[in-house]
Amino acid sequence: MNVSDCLRDIYIGTFAEYITASNSLGAMVKEQSVLVNSLFKLEINLMQILQKYKKPVHPQEEDIFLEPIAKQINIIKNFTIENGRDCSYLHYISDSVDIFHWMKESDLEVFVERFSDYIIAYKDIYRDSSFGVKLSRWLETWTRILEEFSESVLTNFKTGLVWHGTENLPTQAVLGDKTEFRNYDHAALFKEINQGENITRILRRRNESAEATNSTSE
C-alpha cells in the first residue's frame, strides 16, 4: 500500500469519525473541523504529487506545493485564537495540528516524538468520565488520527520528504532552468502563468521593473 492510500484509509476511517463527532458537537468545533478537513485533503494531494513527479530542480518549486499546508495550519490556529475564549476545546486541535507540517523536518523521529506528549495527555482527558460522552468521543478520534498519521509519516518518510515519481513538475516544464526563477514572488509568478501569459514576457517585464527600481534608488 502506498502512502497516498494509507492517508486515504485514515481519511475515510478515523478522520471521518472525527468529522462526525465534530458535527455532533456543532458550533465552533464543527467549523474548525471544516478547516481541518481541508488540511487533510491538502496532505492527500501532496502525497499524490510526490508519487507522480520527481524532485524539482529549484527548491522554490517544491515550496510552492508545500506552502498551502502551512497556510491552512495558520488559518486553523487563527480561527482558534479568535474563537478559543468561547470554546476552549478548539485548542486540543490547534495545539497539535502542526504534525501535518512535517515536510521540512530533518529528523522526523524527533519531530513525531514531540506529539506523543499530546497523545498521552489527550488519552488521560477523554478517559475522564467527567469530560462528557460526546467530547470524549471527539477527542478520542482526534488522538487516533495523531497516532495513525505519525505512524504513516515515519513508515514512508523516515529520512524526510521523498519524491517517488518520474515526471517533471508542470512548473519545471514551463520554466526550465531559468536562473531568474530564484528571484521572484513565485506564487504571483505562477498566477500570471496560469492566466496565460508567456513566461519570457513575464520575466522580461519583471527584470525591467527591477532595473528601473535600482536606477531610481541610485
Side-chain angles (χ1 to χ4, degrees):
M1 181 183 295
N2 61 47
V3 63
S4 183
D5 290 336
C6 288
L7 287 192
R8 279 201 200 91
D9 283 349
I10 297 173
Y11 185 74
I12 65 177
T14 308
F15 194 85
E17 293 178 35
Y18 157 74
I19 294 296
T20 299
S22 298
N23 290 341
S24 70
L25 289 169
M28 297 300 177
V29 171
K30 180 179 179 180
E31 289 186 39
Q32 185 189 55
S33 73
V34 173
L35 301 177
V36 179
N37 185 40
S38 296
L39 174 61
F40 207 100
K41 287 180 178 179
L42 287 172
E43 289 281 342
I44 293 175
N45 183 59
L46 175 63
M47 295 305 106
Q48 293 170 337
I49 290 171
L50 293 176
Q51 285 180 303
K52 183 175 182 179
Y53 299 107
K54 59 185 178 182
K55 186 177 178 64
V57 175
H58 304 299
Q60 294 93 334
E61 288 180 284
E62 183 174 271
D63 289 342
I64 287 172
F65 293 92
L66 303 181
E67 186 179 10
I69 290 175
K71 286 185 175 180
Q72 189 64 20
I73 288 173
N74 284 333
I75 289 172
I76 293 168
K77 289 181 176 293
N78 288 334
F79 176 85
T80 303
I81 291 171
E82 293 171 4
N83 300 283
R85 181 176 296 181
D86 298 323
C87 184
S88 61
Y89 307 126
L90 300 178
H91 290 281
Y92 293 129
I93 307 300
S94 66
D95 287 351
S96 54
V97 77
D98 285 313
I99 196 169
F100 290 97
H101 197 229
W102 54 271
M103 296 77 68
K104 290 291 189 178
E105 297 297 324
S106 57
D107 191 330
L108 277 175
E109 287 188 337
V110 172
F111 174 74
V112 169
E113 182 63 27
R114 285 167 37 198
F115 295 90
S116 62
D117 291 338
Y118 289 109
I119 292 171
I120 293 170
Y122 292 171
K123 285 182 177 179
D124 288 340
I125 293 170
Y126 72 67
R127 287 169 178 166
D128 187 335
S129 58
S130 65
F131 195 57
V133 176
K134 284 188 176 182
L135 281 172
S136 294
R137 177 59 177 162
W138 169 74
L139 188 57
E140 186 263 337
T141 57
W142 178 252
T143 304
R144 282 197 285 127
I145 289 169
L146 294 178
E147 290 179 314
E148 293 171 15
F149 189 83
S150 297
E151 181 180 357
S152 177
V153 168
L154 284 179
T155 299
N156 295 283
F157 297 99
K158 192 172 184 178
T159 58
L161 191 68
V162 179
W163 295 74
H164 297 284
T166 57
E167 299 181 29
N168 288 333
L169 284 166
T171 52
Q172 185 180 8
V174 173
L175 292 170
D177 293 322
K178 289 182 178 294
T179 56
E180 301 100 314
F181 177 71
R182 301 186 181 93
N183 303 320
Y184 292 117
D185 177 346
H186 304 99
L189 178 62
F190 282 106
K191 182 178 180 181
E192 290 179 285
I193 294 171
N194 290 334
Q195 290 173 342
E197 290 206 50
N198 178 272
I199 181 62
T200 303
R201 185 168 64 252
I202 294 171
L203 292 174
R204 184 185 301 118
R205 186 178 68 244
R206 291 188 172 208
N207 280 334
E208 290 172 352
S209 176
E211 290 172 1
T213 301
N214 291 335
S215 298
T216 302
S217 62
E218 292 173 358

